[in-house]
Amino acid sequence: MTDSPFPLEPTAAQAQAAIKEEFAFFADWSERYQYLIDLGRKLPPFPDAWKTEEHRLLGCQSLVWIVPQGDAQRLDFHAISDSAIVSGLIFLALRVYSGRSAAEILATEPDYIADIGLARHLSPTRSNGLAALLAFIRDTARRQA
């Protein structure tokens, strides 16, 4: 198990509000992409031993590994990608959902995606990968609830 910095905010709703506020600082999408890359570099170390097919997230063009831990009271997710931008997308998803109860995860729609205009600025393959990541998190929470 690795140490997780998540959750950064007390609730998923507060995490989404913080993401929206941070992305509002940037004038254009080149700056936002750079910020995503910077966020991806902040993901905690991911053990090489976890980089197995068992932990590979299907539906992503990039290589993505995700390991859930915990129970209905608190679910932690550890994840990494070989893509810098995808790692940033992972950071945002973990910021909202990791370290939360299954009930809070299931009650929280990923509004931050629309709030920051992310859906309009991702390639179809990255959008599919993000959808697969969010579905994995929600499915894990559903199994624990």
Side-chain angles (χ1 to χ4, degrees):
M1 183 166 150
T2 61
D3 291 329
S4 174
F6 305 108
L8 299 179
E9 291 83 11
T11 69
Q14 287 171 311
Q16 293 198 84
I19 290 167
K20 182 178 179 180
E21 189 174 302
E22 288 167 14
F23 273 78
F25 283 119
F26 301 107
D28 61 43
W29 268 91
S30 64
E31 292 175 349
R32 290 176 180 182
Y33 280 126
Q34 185 57 53
Y35 185 59
L36 274 175
I37 291 167
D38 293 343
L39 289 176
R41 292 183 182 128
K42 293 181 180 183
L43 285 171
F46 192 88
D48 284 339
W50 286 357
K51 291 181 180 177
T52 64
E53 281 304 307
E54 175 190 356
H55 299 302
R56 178 121 181 264
L57 182 64
L58 302 178
C60 296
Q61 183 175 11
S62 304
L63 293 175
V64 175
W65 296 272
I66 185 166
V67 176
Q69 294 177 323
D71 56 28
Q73 298 307 307
R74 180 184 169 116
L75 282 169
D76 289 289
F77 296 90
H78 309 278
I80 196 78
S81 174
D82 66 340
S83 161
I85 289 176
V86 174
S87 288
L89 296 174
I90 290 169
F91 185 95
L92 293 179
L94 297 188
R95 183 172 178 181
V96 173
Y97 295 109
S98 190
R100 314 276 182 211
S101 70
E104 185 176 10
I105 291 168
L106 293 172
T108 304
E109 291 297 323
D111 295 333
Y112 72 95
I113 295 169
D115 289 346
I116 64 175
L118 199 51
R120 293 188 312 273
H121 291 91
L122 288 180
S123 67
T125 55
R126 284 198 182 116
S127 290
N128 290 343
L130 180 57
L133 174 66
L134 295 170
F136 178 90
I137 290 170
R138 292 180 72 81
D139 289 347
T140 302
R142 205 171 287 115
R143 283 193 304 276
Q144 293 295 327

